[in-house]
Amino acid sequence: MVLKWSRTLVNIYRVQNNLWFSCRSISRVSSVELPKVVDYMGKSYADISEGHGLEQLVNLNKMFRSKAVSLALPPGSPHRINEPNYKGIRLFILRLMLFYSKQSMSIRAANVIYRRVVSQVDNPMVYDVFRLEKTFRTTFSMLVVHVWLCLRRLKVEGKEGVELGQYVYEIYNHDLEIRVSKAGVNLLLSKWMRELEKIFYGNIVAYDTAMLPEAKPDALHNTIWKNVFSSDGSPTYDAAALPAVLAFSRYVRRECTCLSLTDKESMFSGNFMFSAIYNPNTPR
């Protein structure tokens, strides 16, 4: 059952490594633990204000406007991950061990799909281009967006896709628990996970609603601002962040379309990759 959006966590709970959660959202990790994010000109993102340095990193207005294409990996791609082709006695033994059961194959496929999500979310360039400080909160927000993109696409394939999506969600949930533990929350872990689960379901409901044909033109912008860019869920935009919010909205819409063009076999095997995010001003 989909849980209603919950923006309220619990009162401040501080842990030894200075990670804490605020009432309306997961707060930023203390700057003592994470280094200050600096752009390619040596200037802190926090110092970039409207009209002063917004175009130094990348012209966000020009990004993610290209024609959507399938994200399926070509047959010869080194990034493809295929099912092992065992033969003889090894194949016989693996079949006895249910290695090729529907559940086992679904779990392996879900692992590959989630690896695609993590590969995108853990890419430092994502935070550089969108001018986001890499904290637990922003990483969690990015995980939610990309898991939602996958679940949305899998759901199109009916019951089979929904079942595979459930495995993806369970793997995501396990990975999130590890990330929370590494962030320093060791006590009351189950409580934090329940709160994060509420936020996850609230976010995907908000994203789905913003993508409806009857949604207002700025619905997705507002949802992304609140769930990804705003540190406290405030509906008031930061003028300096607006170009990044609009660019990320275009990215999300484009990925939705790209995934819709990606064939079922590629989706179900995890043989796809999200669109590359990079700073065109920096040599690759």
Side-chain angles (χ1 to χ4, degrees), residues 11-34:
N11 291 331
I12 296 176
Y13 173 75
R14 197 165 185 172
V15 293
Q16 291 181 349
N17 69 345
N18 292 324
L19 173 67
W20 66 88
F21 294 83
S22 64
C23 297
R24 291 183 174 270
S25 66
I26 307 166
S27 71
R28 297 175 182 270
V29 177
S30 169
S31 58
V32 173
E33 183 177 359
L34 291 177

Side-chain angles (χ1 to χ4, degrees), residues 108-170:
R108 290 198 295 277
N111 267 295
V112 178
I113 293 171
Y114 189 67
R115 284 174 62 181
R116 306 302 184 188
V117 169
V118 171
S119 177
Q120 189 79 334
V121 171
D122 285 347
N123 179 6
M125 194 59 68
V126 171
Y127 304 90
D128 288 348
V129 167
F130 294 116
R131 297 157 194 165
L132 288 166
E133 183 181 2
K134 194 175 190 300
T135 65
F136 177 84
R137 182 186 184 280
T138 53
T139 301
F140 169 71
S141 299
M142 287 292 178
L143 281 172
V144 173
V145 168
H146 289 84
V147 169
W148 164 71
L149 285 168
C150 292
L151 298 184
R152 179 182 174 86
R153 171 62 183 86
L154 292 173
K155 187 177 179 181
V156 173
E157 303 298 337
K159 181 180 178 181
E160 190 179 4
V162 172
E163 290 176 350
L164 180 56
Q166 182 60 36
Y167 286 115
V168 173
Y169 173 75
E170 289 173 2

Side-chain angles (χ1 to χ4, degrees), residues 2-18:
V2 176
L3 301 175
K4 294 183 179 180
W5 166 244
S6 172
R7 292 177 55 193
T8 304
L9 287 179
V10 290
N11 291 331
I12 296 176
Y13 173 75
R14 197 165 185 172
V15 293
Q16 291 181 349
N17 69 345
N18 292 324

Side-chain angles (χ1 to χ4, degrees), residues 16 185 225 227:
Q16 291 181 349
V185 179
W225 164 255
N227 296 334

Side-chain angles (χ1 to χ4, degrees), residues 71-73 113 116 150 259 262 266-267 269-274:
L71 299 180
L73 293 169
I113 293 171
R116 306 302 184 188
C150 292
L259 286 170
T262 304
S266 295
M267 286 300 307
S269 63
N271 282 313
F272 67 92
M273 292 189 75
F274 289 100

Side-chain angles (χ1 to χ4, degrees), residues 250-275:
R250 289 195 300 273
Y251 165 75
V252 169
R253 288 192 182 279
R254 187 177 185 280
E255 292 306 278
C256 275
T257 305
C258 289
L259 286 170
S260 71
L261 297 174
T262 304
D263 62 279
K264 177 181 176 179
E265 191 280 329
S266 295
M267 286 300 307
F268 275 54
S269 63
N271 282 313
F272 67 92
M273 292 189 75
F274 289 100
S275 299

